[in-house]
Amino acid sequence: MNTPGTLTRQSRLVAALCMCVDSVLYVTNLRKPAFGWVDVVAIALILLVNAGLATSAKRSGLVAVAVAAVQIVIPLVFDPGSHHICTTGGMMAAYRVGAWLPAWPGLLSIGALAVADFADGKFPGTGPLPLIITITSSAVLPWIVGRHTTTRSAYIAELERRADRQEQAVQRALAEERSSIARDLHDMISHHVSAIGVHAGAARLGIGSTGNAAAQRSLSAVETASRSAMTDLRRLLDLLHGKDDHQHRQPGMSNADELLAGVRAAGLPVTMTTSGAPLELPGSVDVALYRIFQEALTNALRHGDGVADVVLEHHDEEVVLTVTNSLRGSNNGTDRGSGLTGIRDRVALFGGQARFGPDGENWVLRVSLPTKETA
């Protein structure tokens, strides 16, 4: 990417090269054996006008006129019959005029350079054709290249602005679509989940304290689960709306006791054993491990039979979660839906490992996640 400092350095380099080349061309094309003060003055003028190529772009027209004046003055006043005066300087001046000046000021400057080419006598032979070729190659062509460069840069800049506007429009459309999805989710799901909690609470109260204790526990678990579902739903809706609500953070393994209590209340006896010194996991790893733990217990509740055994191992480089539960009847655990795919995807996201499947009469899920996020 070009910066003002880079452009300035490039202009200075171009000016220095033109000063060197045009000075050498003047000396090598001398038609007299002696090198006198007149030649010193001529070279000084060449150096002076070529140094103008390093000045501001808005002075491109003045620099071109100065180069043209030197091309005329040196052969007429200082060194009659000399040729190749400011050859490279004139071409670069024409290029700068085309690149930086509007059409009419640029054409006037190019006209001055064309007159200088005619007066300098650079073209070989006589007749209009050599003159046209010389003026075209030394003045008109560099001017056209300069205008083409500027036009192309402006076109590319316009394409980039257009792409930015389209990207912004796409982002706005996506944001509006997320908001629409969030509203639809709220309208369709929150009412039904709330109704489940209300009806479960009413049923639990209707049973009374003398009713079935197991039914009361189940209904209480339904109430708790519905409240948790509403909390998670509101959190997801906030994410879809683009809100960053730190008061309602994503659950992590610090909420494992609450998750275990809910599953036990739903009728699944769970034992949990931990080993190693617990480490502070990165937020995303902590959330992923909790969601995997939640999915594993849900599968054990739906498809298992008897108790579930959970082992959580903390190591320096990884944390390992193992969930084992007995299978129900002839169920081999292959009908657990898309939950296992979600577990595999979460683990792959962090470069961990996941193994699950039937082991005799039990279903075993073992997941290991790194304790540090990978770059």
Side-chain angles (χ1 to χ4, degrees):
M1 180 178 180
N2 288 329
T3 62
T6 303
L7 293 175
T8 300
R9 289 191 295 270
Q10 291 175 349
S11 298
R12 291 173 179 173
L13 177 61
V14 168
L17 291 175
C18 289
M19 292 166 68
C20 295
V21 172
D22 285 341
S23 299
V24 172
L25 285 176
Y26 178 83
V27 173
T28 56
N29 285 279
L30 284 176
R31 294 189 176 185
K32 53 187 179 180
F35 188 86
W37 67 270
V38 172
D39 300 310
V40 174
V41 174
I43 292 177
L45 290 176
I46 292 173
L47 295 176
L48 179 63
V49 295
N50 280 345
L53 296 173
T55 60
S56 173
K58 63 183 179 181
R59 297 190 178 93
S60 299
L62 295 176
V63 173
V65 172
V67 170
V70 168
Q71 289 177 337
I72 296 173
V73 168
I74 289 180
L76 292 180
V77 177
F78 294 96
D79 187 11
S82 62
H83 300 285
H84 301 290
I85 308 300
C86 291
T87 301
T88 58
M91 294 179 66
M92 289 308 306
Y95 173 83
R96 280 165 53 93
V97 165
W100 297 107
L101 294 186
W104 284 110
L107 288 175
L108 293 176
S109 301
I110 293 302
L113 291 171
V115 171
D117 285 337
F118 176 78
D120 191 21
K122 293 177 185 176
F123 51 92
T126 59
L129 183 59
L131 173 62
I132 293 174
I133 293 175
T134 300
I135 293 176
T136 301
S137 61
S138 61
V140 177
L141 185 59
W143 174 70
I144 292 175
V145 173
R147 289 192 63 81
H148 170 73
T149 302
T150 301
T151 303
R152 179 177 177 275
S153 299
Y155 176 69
I156 292 175
E158 176 60 28
L159 289 180
E160 291 176 348
R161 288 192 294 268
R162 190 180 304 172
D164 289 340
R165 290 194 295 269
Q166 291 176 348
E167 179 65 20
Q168 293 173 2
V170 170
Q171 293 299 326
R172 287 195 299 269
L174 289 175
E176 292 174 359
E177 184 65 19
R178 284 196 296 266
S179 296
S180 177
I181 293 173
R183 288 191 297 268
D184 291 342
L185 282 174
H186 184 273
D187 293 341
M188 291 186 298
I189 299 176
S190 62
H191 170 73
H192 298 293
V193 175
S194 299
I196 290 172
V198 170
H199 287 298
R204 179 176 55 82
L205 294 174
I207 292 177
S209 58
T210 59
N212 189 303
Q216 287 186 332
R217 288 195 300 270
S218 296
L219 291 172
S220 179
V222 171
E223 289 183 84
T224 302
S226 65
R227 286 194 295 268
S228 298
M230 286 300 299
T231 300
D232 286 342
L233 177 61
R234 292 191 187 97
R235 186 182 299 115
L236 291 175
L237 294 179
D238 288 341
L239 290 175
L240 288 173
H241 280 300
K243 297 179 181 179
D244 186 13
D245 190 354
H246 296 288
Q247 295 180 349
H248 300 287
R249 64 174 183 84
Q250 288 272 31
M253 291 305 292
S254 60
N255 304 102
D257 291 339
E258 302 173 11
L259 181 60
L260 290 171
V263 174
R264 287 165 179 159
L268 176 67
V270 182
T271 61
M272 183 169 181
T273 305
T274 60
S275 64
L279 299 175
E280 184 176 353
L281 299 175
S284 56
V285 176
D286 190 33
V287 172
L289 185 61
Y290 176 84
R291 292 303 186 189
I292 293 171
F293 187 28
Q294 185 181 44
E295 180 64 28
L297 291 180
T298 301
N299 284 337
L301 180 62
R302 294 173 56 192
H303 305 286
D305 186 21
V307 299
D309 181 61
V310 179
V311 178
L312 183 63
E313 304 171 65
H314 296 277
H315 303 285
D316 293 337
E317 301 295 333
E318 65 177 358
V319 57
V320 181
L321 175 68
T322 305
V323 179
T324 304
N325 64 274
S326 58
L327 297 174
R328 180 180 300 160
S330 61
N331 181 15
N332 61 5
T334 59
D335 59 342
R336 300 194 177 207
S338 60
L340 296 178
T341 302
I343 290 176
R344 186 185 293 110
D345 292 341
R346 287 182 185 273
V347 172
L349 183 64
F350 295 96
Q353 296 181 350
R355 295 195 299 272
F356 44 76
D359 183 8
E361 297 181 354
N362 295 326
W363 173 270
V364 179
L365 181 143
R366 188 177 189 275
V367 168
S368 63
L369 291 176
T371 56
K372 297 180 180 179
E373 291 179 306
T374 57

